[in-house]
Amino acid sequence: MSNLWLALAVITVGGLALPGQSPLTANETNLQQPLAAIRNVQVQGEGHASAMEAWKTLSTRSVQDVPAMLKGMSPDNDLANNWLRMAIDTVIDHGISDGQSVPLDAMEQVLADTNNPARGRELAYEWLTKLDKTADRRWLPKMLNDPSLDLRWKSVDAVLANAKQLQENGQAAESLQQYKTALLAARNVDQIKTAAQALRDGGDEVDLTRLFGFLTSWHLIGPFDNRDKQGFDRDYPPEGSVDLSATYMGKEDSQVAWKTHQTSDEYGLVDLNEAVGKNMGAAAYAVTTFVSNESQQVDIRWGSTNANKVWLNGELLGSNHVYHSGDGIDQYVAQGQLKAGENIILLKVCQNEQTDSCMQDWNFQIRICDELGTAIHSAK
């Protein structure tokens, strides 16, 4: 069969009265001031006093105000959302104790509108499943392509559980179809691996390199000197400009030149010990061209067990002067702006001089995706 591809997902993050949402009700208008006060609270304590007064106001509201409070959660302030969650939980708990009717239909409307803040929708789902035993059955199938990664994970997890049950029941074809459905929807690394392995065990082909969007074709150059970790912040020539025909003075006065490299590793891992040569106290550069059909904001996600820097079109996006503290898919994440046409991605990967056998890895992997983790592929 043909390789499986990830479906593109679109995320929209919202709050009160965003374009595309219904006009504010009178109740929502009355809540805007305390909701805004809580959304403005900062980790450093800024806005704490105002948020405390706002929390007292919100926590005594009617349970009928819960949908508006859910829509008023922040798209990006976790501290504020913790405050709002406590207020919403308090209102619902008190409402139930007082025999009030929780507005489940209105909460379902909050969940259904993906323009609403993800945290508000997730809390709506959490309460719906507590108060309505049919909510899981009704909502999980609808959330496979949800812009909330948490809700999407729950939906995919249900599909994986169903696939496993079908397999145990001897329904192999139906099970494989469910695993395919899970693989196309999953953005969680563990879920993708689980679905892919099940499909392979069933005889299907899965191209995980393409599913994740790992970059595999590179030009590499090195080694440059990083003894005593002094090379990490030294601007070697590739950081100024990339000239693939140039040669430079490398470590220990050796001449170094660019070489092409294509990794065959399923997870896009480039082993610099193999590609450049085993070196300690060394730095290497990797460059590739990514062609985009349009200007677009993307996530650049990479992993390396070594100290590293990443540039996009000459702009430094990430710098991590850390050695052998772990690695893995999406270990580091940065946002970057692709321009229409060719984009230059440059990495610097530095190895230190530790001699322990577990400290010898010198490698990296990198992929381009949207903020959900959906692969974006070069048009080249």
Side-chain angles (χ1 to χ4, degrees):
M1 61 167 288
S2 60
N3 292 331
L4 299 173
W5 292 52
L6 281 175
L8 291 177
V10 178
I11 183 168
T12 52
V13 179
L16 289 174
L18 283 177
Q21 286 186 279
S22 302
L24 294 174
T25 66
N27 239 14
E28 290 172 340
T29 301
N30 292 336
L31 289 170
Q32 279 199 89
Q33 185 173 347
L35 287 171
I38 290 183
R39 286 197 300 267
N40 289 332
V41 71
Q42 301 298 318
V43 174
Q44 296 81 3
E46 182 181 347
H48 181 90
S50 298
M52 177 60 74
E53 290 304 312
W55 184 89
K56 291 177 182 177
T57 298
L58 291 175
S59 62
T60 60
R61 299 287 298 209
S62 164
V63 73
Q64 299 303 316
D65 293 324
V66 164
M69 293 164 68
L70 291 167
K71 289 195 286 184
M73 294 186 84
S74 171
D76 54 16
N77 186 334
D78 289 338
L79 177 61
N81 286 334
N82 287 338
W83 284 62
L84 287 169
R85 181 194 175 99
M86 287 190 293
I88 291 168
D89 288 348
T90 298
V91 168
I92 294 178
D93 286 337
H94 287 170
I96 293 173
S97 297
D98 294 341
Q100 298 180 35
S101 177
V102 179
L104 298 182
D105 288 346
M107 291 170 67
E108 294 216 19
Q109 292 175 18
V110 173
L111 175 57
D113 188 350
T114 57
N115 286 316
N116 288 324
R119 295 297 174 262
R121 296 179 61 238
E122 290 159 9
L123 185 54
Y125 174 81
E126 184 178 324
W127 271 108
L128 284 168
T129 55
K130 288 179 180 178
L131 301 174
D132 180 355
K133 293 181 179 179
T134 71
D136 263 340
R137 184 174 69 252
R138 290 184 293 104
W139 277 101
L140 285 175
K142 301 177 183 179
M143 301 190 301
L144 274 173
N145 293 304
D146 202 280
S148 160
L149 287 175
D150 180 72
L151 296 176
R152 182 188 289 251
W153 184 93
K154 287 179 170 63
S155 184
V156 172
D157 194 55
V159 175
L160 289 173
N162 186 42
K164 184 178 180 181
Q165 186 62 58
L166 288 168
Q167 186 178 36
E168 292 173 352
N169 293 343
Q171 299 173 266
E174 294 85 349
S175 173
L176 288 177
Q177 187 57 52
Q178 288 292 289
Y179 278 121
K180 291 176 189 177
T181 298
L183 183 63
L184 290 172
R187 298 297 180 269
N188 175 273
V189 171
D190 290 336
Q191 288 182 330
I192 289 173
K193 289 182 176 180
T194 296
Q197 188 59 54
L199 287 167
R200 287 170 172 171
D201 291 344
D204 283 353
E205 297 176 12
V206 182
D207 187 349
L208 283 184
T209 305
R210 187 166 182 81
L211 281 169
F212 279 107
F214 289 115
L215 305 183
T216 59
S217 297
W218 296 93
H219 285 87
L220 308 175
I221 192 168
F224 294 93
D225 196 358
N226 187 43
R227 284 173 290 192
D228 298 322
K229 304 178 185 177
Q230 296 300 305
F232 183 78
D233 289 321
R234 186 176 300 170
D235 296 339
Y236 289 112
E239 295 181 33
S241 63
V242 175
D243 179 359
L244 297 179
S245 64
T247 59
Y248 304 109
M249 189 69 70
K251 185 182 178 186
E252 297 177 348
D253 297 330
S254 61
Q255 287 289 316
V256 294
W258 291 97
K259 62 177 71 174
T260 60
H261 180 74
Q262 177 80 29
T263 178
S264 59
D265 183 81
E266 184 170 44
Y267 297 104
L269 192 72
V270 176
D271 185 346
L272 293 170
N273 285 323
E274 174 187 329
V276 173
K278 186 171 177 59
N279 288 273
M280 305 305 294
Y285 291 89
V287 68
T288 193
T289 300
F290 189 98
V291 179
S292 178
N293 288 326
E294 60 183 352
S295 175
Q296 56 182 317
Q297 181 87 10
V298 297
D299 271 11
I300 297 183
R301 304 184 181 191
W302 70 100
S304 176
T305 190
N306 312 99
N308 58 81
K309 293 183 179 182
V310 174
W311 293 263
L312 173 62
N313 295 326
E315 178 186 359
L316 181 64
L317 297 184
S319 177
N320 305 285
H321 200 185
V322 181
Y323 294 90
H324 305 292
S325 64
D327 58 6
I329 299 171
D330 299 351
Q331 179 183 10
Y332 303 109
V333 179
Q335 284 71 49
Q337 184 71 33
L338 292 180
K339 61 184 180 181
E342 292 190 348
N343 297 267
I344 305 301
I345 298 171
L346 176 71
L347 289 90
K348 180 178 188 177
V349 186
C350 293
Q351 173 66 296
N352 63 6
E353 298 166 274
Q354 292 176 263
T355 58
D356 295 346
S357 59
C358 60
M359 305 293 183
Q360 304 306 300
D361 291 341
W362 190 23
N363 53 40
F364 70 89
Q365 61 182 185
I366 189 168
R367 70 190 189 106
I368 309 297
C369 57
D370 67 12
E371 57 189 339
L372 285 180
T374 311
I376 296 174
H377 299 110
S378 175
K380 185 176 180 180

